[in-house]
Amino acid sequence: MENMVTVFLFGKKYEVPESLTIMEAMEYSGYQLVRGCGCRNGFCGACATIYRIAGDRELKACLACSTKVENNMYVATLPFFPLVKEVYDIEKVKPTERIMMQLYPEIYACVGCNACTKACTQGLNVMQYIAYAQRGEYEKCAEESFDCVMCGVCSSRCPAGISHPQVAMLARRLNGKYLAPHCEHLDVRVEEIREGKFEALIESLMEKPLAEIKELYNTREIEK
């Protein structure tokens, strides 16, 4: 018999096996997840969650699919956070400091509290990449924010109302469009994909078990 722990999901008390993730504990407890579950492997950011352990005042953030339950854990999910998403044409904007001032002026109201960094489910230095965006250093902002999964937890803790993931997305687009060196072999690969060259390979991969796919990924040949 597995050891059981007490968790509180949306204010209700449940006993669940201690080996489960928060997402698995929700399903074990009878919740049918139709939203906020996404990829279930920690990459999509759809299962952003906040929790607190009884007796501890600290409010913690995580992804429900990749975080194990703890005894006396109080859980609430945050599957969607209303980020500010400005509309722009990447073909018309330019990688200047002015464009960030026009689209996301709230970044200049940052008070340096570092709450965004502390809340990040991916452990990114969020406040640092916002500082790069403020200075128009989009290459650095793109690199620092590369692993962002757009979960929005950082923004939920920001007193200045900054939409950090959208700022980072703009920086990465500007970097990819105007600043990063052009990659000719990528053009070739995109054309091969359009021609359907990899359809059979993709179909064969979809039939493989997850463990085998992970092994293929971890042992893949990485182009220099």
Side-chain angles (χ1 to χ4, degrees), residues 23 26 32-38 40 46-47 77 79-80:
M23 185 176 289
M26 290 178 183
Q32 183 179 6
L33 303 180
V34 295
R35 292 193 179 191
C37 45
R40 296 175 177 263
C47 62
T77 60
F80 171 77

Side-chain angles (χ1 to χ4, degrees), residues 105-125:
E106 64 272 16
I107 68 173
Y108 299 97
C110 175
V111 297
C113 66
N114 211 32
C116 53
T117 300
K118 293 177 182 177
C120 180
T121 59
Q122 299 297 93
L124 303 181
N125 193 343

Side-chain angles (χ1 to χ4, degrees), residues 8 16 40 48-49 52 55 63 73 84 96 114 151 159 171 175 181 201:
F8 296 82
V16 303
R40 296 175 177 263
T49 298
R52 178 176 277 138
L63 297 180
M73 174 186 272
V84 175
T96 64
N114 211 32
C151 69
N175 183 58
L201 175 60

Side-chain angles (χ1 to χ4, degrees), residues 86-101:
E86 298 294 350
V87 177
Y88 52 86
D89 185 343
I90 195 63
E91 300 292 339
K92 296 179 181 179
V93 299
K94 298 298 179 183
T96 64
E97 191 173 333
R98 182 181 298 275
I99 189 61
M100 198 62 77
M101 290 180 179

Side-chain angles (χ1 to χ4, degrees), residues 122-143:
Q122 299 297 93
L124 303 181
N125 193 343
V126 182
M127 191 174 75
Q128 180 61 67
Y129 78 62
I130 291 298
Y132 288 142
Q134 290 172 335
R135 300 195 292 266
E137 298 181 57
Y138 300 127
E139 302 100 323
K140 292 181 179 179
C141 182
E143 179 67 25

Side-chain angles (χ1 to χ4, degrees), residues 199-210 212-213 216:
E199 288 183 6
L201 175 60
I202 292 173
E203 289 178 2
S204 68
L205 285 173
M206 291 175 67
E207 296 175 354
K208 295 182 182 296
L210 182 59
E212 186 175 345
I213 293 175
L216 287 170

Side-chain angles (χ1 to χ4, degrees), residues 66-82:
S66 54
T67 303
K68 292 292 183 70
V69 293
E70 298 181 45
N71 194 42
N72 289 324
M73 174 186 272
Y74 287 76
V75 175
T77 60
L78 188 71
F80 171 77
F81 186 80

